[in-house]
Amino acid sequence: MTTSANWISRGEHVITRTYGRYPLVPVRGAGCRLWDVDGREYLDFLAGVAVNNLGHCHPQVVTALQQQASTLLHCSNFYHIPQQIELAELLTANSFADRAFFCNSGAEANEAAIKLARKYSLDKRGPDRSGIITALESFHGRTIGAISATGQDKVRTGFAPTVPGFSYVPFGEIDALEAAITPETCAVLLEPVQGEGGVNLPPAGYLKQVRQLCDRHQLLLIFDEVQVGCGRTGHLFAYQHDAVEPDIMTLAKALGGGSPIGTMLSTEEVATSFGPGTHGSTFGGNPLVAAAGIATMKVLLEGHVLDNCIAVGAYLRFRLEQLKKDFSFIREVRGRGLMLGVELDIEGADIVVRAMQKGLLINCTVGKVLRLVPPLIVSRSEVDQAIDILEDIFREMPGATR
């Protein structure tokens, strides 16, 4: 019988080391639960880094994949793909957007957004205006353009020269953003809630001020909703909390219910700057992943998943705030819906390991922020189970106070 130890040993010889992997080999998932190859069960509050918004192996997504896999897996974007068209109709009918471009990941979606913003600026505003302002602590992906846009030095280290034309300002500071605008600026790219950067929310009214600033200076506003979109915050899209519409928005992670699909949505006017030959993606929106995306969107649009996200998200936050009262090293609980961060005064890496050993999967960003992004179908009893595990770990931490 092949055990976790066997698989880990084999992988160490053949897999490129781009991840610091935990000693866990998942082989089965259902709802909010994962099981490893040794038969151990885990409560998954990481959800594939916010990919499994509907939980593992949601029946409607699985059925859509099985049916599509038996008829047509892939053709080419040289042809018209009904599943892709239907998914685009669902996305545009329920957002600000008029057009969708499909790709495979969030990084690819952001690459498309960067290209479209620069092409639109060239078409409408003339040359020498290609600068894009992003936020410090942002994260937009791992490709060369996406790391150039990302406001964290650590992801760019070792990969110079990166793509020129990006500048970075503190997230949530409107005066700093306005001061960074130059005659060369063409767009502002922001996450409505920063995920990888530490689950950071902007101050109330900030996104509306950014929209006004973009309008005043004829800049495009791009929202990266790769992590916060598809219901994660309790609305279908995070920008809907602030009633501020972007010109371009990117989605991925949860869009395919566990299948690799991304999209760049835009208004009709902006989309006209892309034409045949300007951009593309071989696998983007192929029949298989687009069918999964349709199933995912239909479940989200039924509403009960979003309702559960809001209700159970509030309960999870309440339980975390209770822990904050008991343990002095918890600095802050923040986030929206079921995208919550717990900022600590101590390093979080060891807590993540201890949680996994006790059967709870979470992760840590920027060193001291525990990130909790469980499936949106999570129950109150599962929240109680997760909190009990965290409380046990916190009680064992040096300096714990009650």
Side-chain angles (χ1 to χ4, degrees), residues 46 51 72 84 88 151 153 161 168 177 236 241 251 281 326 333 384:
L46 182 57
V51 166
L72 181 66
Q84 188 181 107
D153 288 339
Y168 318 97
L177 176 57
L236 190 59
H241 287 276
L251 299 171
S281 173
D326 290 341
V333 178
D384 288 336

Side-chain angles (χ1 to χ4, degrees), residues 22 344 346-355 363-364 367-368 370:
Y22 296 103
L344 309 172
I346 59 177
E347 294 294 324
D350 184 51
I351 294 173
V352 173
V353 173
R354 293 190 191 201
N363 90 323
C364 179
K368 295 184 177 180
L370 301 180

Side-chain angles (χ1 to χ4, degrees), residues 46-383:
L46 182 57
V49 195
V51 166
N52 298 304
N53 278 9
L54 302 183
H56 292 279
C57 299
H58 189 282
Q60 287 177 241
V61 176
V62 171
T63 297
L65 284 167
Q66 288 173 332
Q67 292 178 346
Q68 188 58 48
S70 67
T71 55
L72 181 66
L73 289 173
H74 180 77
C75 49
S76 166
N77 278 308
F78 287 157
Y79 311 117
H80 298 276
I81 300 172
Q83 296 79 11
Q84 188 181 107
I85 294 166
E86 186 176 348
L87 179 55
E89 289 172 342
L90 286 169
L91 290 166
T92 56
N94 292 282
S95 74
F96 74 97
D98 304 303
R99 298 272 177 178
F101 165 80
F102 289 105
C103 50
N104 306 291
S105 69
E108 257 195 82
N110 284 327
E111 293 279 352
I114 292 164
K115 286 182 66 176
L116 181 58
R118 288 182 168 177
K119 183 66 163 53
Y120 175 83
S121 183
L122 178 67
D123 293 345
K124 304 294 183 180
R125 316 291 184 217
D128 304 322
R129 191 169 162 169
S130 59
I132 297 177
I133 301 171
T134 71
L136 292 170
E137 307 304 330
S138 62
F139 183 79
H140 301 293
R142 296 285 185 180
T143 57
I144 195 70
I147 65 169
S148 303
T150 293
Q152 300 184 51
D153 288 339
K154 66 181 182 183
V155 306
R156 293 192 294 274
T157 300
F159 302 107
T162 53
V163 177
F166 292 94
S167 57
Y168 318 97
V169 296
F171 185 51
E173 296 185 17
I174 194 68
D175 291 342
L177 176 57
E178 184 163 18
I181 296 171
T182 72
E184 289 77 39
T185 305
C186 74
V188 175
L189 166 59
L190 296 173
E191 297 158 277
V193 181
Q194 291 185 335
E196 186 69 22
V199 193
N200 302 316
L201 273 75
Y206 173 71
L207 296 181
K208 189 163 290 186
Q209 290 177 306
V210 174
R211 177 74 270 180
Q212 292 167 349
L213 206 55
C214 287
D215 292 341
R216 193 183 318 146
H217 292 273
Q218 294 187 310
L219 310 178
L220 293 181
L221 177 58
I222 307 167
F223 280 160
D224 175 345
E225 293 219 11
V226 168
Q227 186 169 144
V228 302
C230 300
R232 173 55 58 185
T233 63
H235 281 319
L236 190 59
F237 305 115
Y239 77 80
Q240 294 167 331
H241 287 276
D242 297 273
V244 176
E245 293 187 347
D247 303 292
I248 300 172
M249 181 173 74
T250 55
L251 299 171
K253 288 191 180 292
L255 180 59
S259 302
I261 183 171
T263 187
M264 178 197 66
L265 304 175
S266 67
T267 63
E268 179 70 30
E269 181 189 352
V270 175
T272 56
S273 285
F274 266 0
T278 53
H279 197 55
S281 173
T282 296
F283 291 101
N286 81 8
L288 187 70
V289 295
I294 293 167
T296 301
M297 282 296 296
K298 286 183 175 178
V299 173
L300 289 171
L301 290 169
E302 288 171 0
H304 62 272
V305 171
L306 299 184
D307 291 343
N308 190 72
C309 175
I310 293 169
V312 182
Y315 181 64
L316 175 57
R317 186 171 188 139
F318 167 72
R319 293 299 314 273
L320 291 170
E321 292 284 3
Q322 284 185 318
L323 290 182
K324 179 174 178 291
K325 293 176 182 175
D326 290 341
F327 297 97
S328 60
F329 54 75
I330 299 179
R331 181 187 294 270
E332 183 183 18
V333 178
R334 57 177 179 256
R336 271 183 174 148
L338 281 167
M339 182 178 181
L340 295 175
V342 181
E343 184 174 358
L344 309 172
D345 284 329
I346 59 177
E347 294 294 324
D350 184 51
I351 294 173
V352 173
V353 173
R354 293 190 191 201
M356 186 184 70
Q357 291 168 345
K358 291 176 179 289
L360 173 65
L361 303 181
I362 58 174
N363 90 323
C364 179
T365 68
V366 295
K368 295 184 177 180
V369 179
L370 301 180
R371 179 169 45 175
L372 283 73
V373 284
L376 310 186
I377 59 169
V378 68
S379 67
R380 288 169 64 101
S381 63
E382 288 168 328
V383 166

